[in-house]
Amino acid sequence: IDQQIEYHWLHSGELDAWIEDDIRITEKLKANIGARHSIFILNEKIFSLFQPRVNVLYKFTQKWSVKASASRMNQFIHLLSNNSLGLPTDLWLPVTKRLPPQTSMQVSAGVSYDADQSTSFTMEGFYKTLDNLIEYTDGTVFFNAFDNWEDMVETGTGKSYGVEWLAQKKKGKLTGLISYTLARSTRQFPN
């Protein structure tokens, strides 16, 4: 059997430009506002995405503060994991005309307490949505050089949310931190 392999070379590049600024709105309220514009070029296809973000901090007193943030993030390289083999196999694959970039939107809010100049406690909650995730279609085991990998994956959505706690000691003979996160992450695909 004579099989002919056709290699498709991928020529890609990414261009990024970003801007950010720390803004003191009042004595107690400050913000960090930023944006990133990313352009990914794969062969002759161009993907262009805008990624804004904002962080706001309000300091009630010297010891107590609240913070909130929101950001949109994109990724032009998909991670495809295969756990059906004896060893997990991860592949990093580029976006294509059929498989758009992964996008996510994350919001978080939290409260901080500074007990003194060296000790602080923080609690923060977060919620994140994920779009254009990829996964092998149901029943696909693995693909080889003769397969078109785009035919063996499907796109889906996901979300994750949770709460994080942090206790930190920054000065003195004994320093360090203790943190704990309680979170849930789900993914949903058509099949």
Side-chain angles (χ1 to χ4, degrees):
I1 299 174
D2 183 21
Q3 290 182 322
Q4 189 174 26
I5 301 174
E6 181 180 336
Y7 292 99
H8 297 281
W9 295 103
L10 300 176
H11 299 283
S12 66
E14 184 171 348
L15 301 168
D16 294 289
W18 64 92
I19 187 169
E20 72 173 2
D21 194 16
D22 287 320
I23 302 167
R24 182 172 292 279
I25 300 166
T26 69
E27 189 63 33
K28 295 183 175 188
L29 180 64
K30 65 180 184 177
N32 177 283
I33 299 171
R36 176 186 203 102
H37 188 103
S38 297
I39 297 172
F40 186 75
I41 303 164
L42 179 67
N43 293 336
E44 295 176 8
K45 175 72 176 163
I46 297 175
F47 299 89
S48 176
L49 295 169
F50 182 67
Q51 303 171 84
R53 63 184 167 84
V54 62
N55 300 306
V56 178
L57 174 73
Y58 184 78
K59 203 159 179 82
F60 286 104
T61 66
Q62 284 297 104
K63 295 185 179 273
W64 287 96
S65 62
V66 293
K67 57 185 174 179
S69 68
S71 62
R72 178 183 165 89
M73 296 165 280
N74 305 295
Q75 185 168 311
F76 298 106
I77 306 294
H78 292 282
L79 173 61
L80 183 60
S81 296
N82 184 354
N83 297 316
S84 63
L85 298 174
L87 297 172
T89 305
D90 293 340
L91 298 172
W92 291 95
L93 301 166
V95 297
T96 66
K97 292 179 183 178
R98 288 174 43 193
L99 298 169
Q102 297 176 53
T103 61
S104 68
M105 180 68 186
Q106 180 170 317
V107 294
S108 64
V111 62
S112 295
Y113 175 71
D114 295 326
D116 54 40
Q117 290 184 352
S118 68
T119 309
S120 64
F121 303 93
T122 304
M123 182 177 76
E124 187 170 325
F126 66 91
Y127 182 83
K128 183 177 189 176
T129 59
L130 305 152
D131 291 308
N132 301 324
L133 300 173
I134 65 169
E135 184 68 58
Y136 285 102
T137 11
D138 197 28
T140 301
V141 178
F142 199 63
F143 62 85
N144 62 42
F146 302 106
D147 296 328
N148 183 359
W149 69 270
E150 289 178 280
D151 295 333
M152 300 188 166
V153 297
E154 62 181 330
T155 59
T157 60
K159 65 181 172 182
S160 62
Y161 51 91
V163 179
E164 300 175 339
W165 292 272
L166 171 68
Q168 186 172 14
K169 187 162 184 319
K170 303 173 200 168
K171 295 180 182 177
K173 290 183 180 181
L174 180 64
T175 62
L177 58 91
I178 297 173
S179 66
Y180 180 77
T181 301
L182 178 63
R184 180 167 188 203
S185 180
T186 61
R187 293 175 176 225
Q188 186 172 0
F189 294 89
N191 294 318

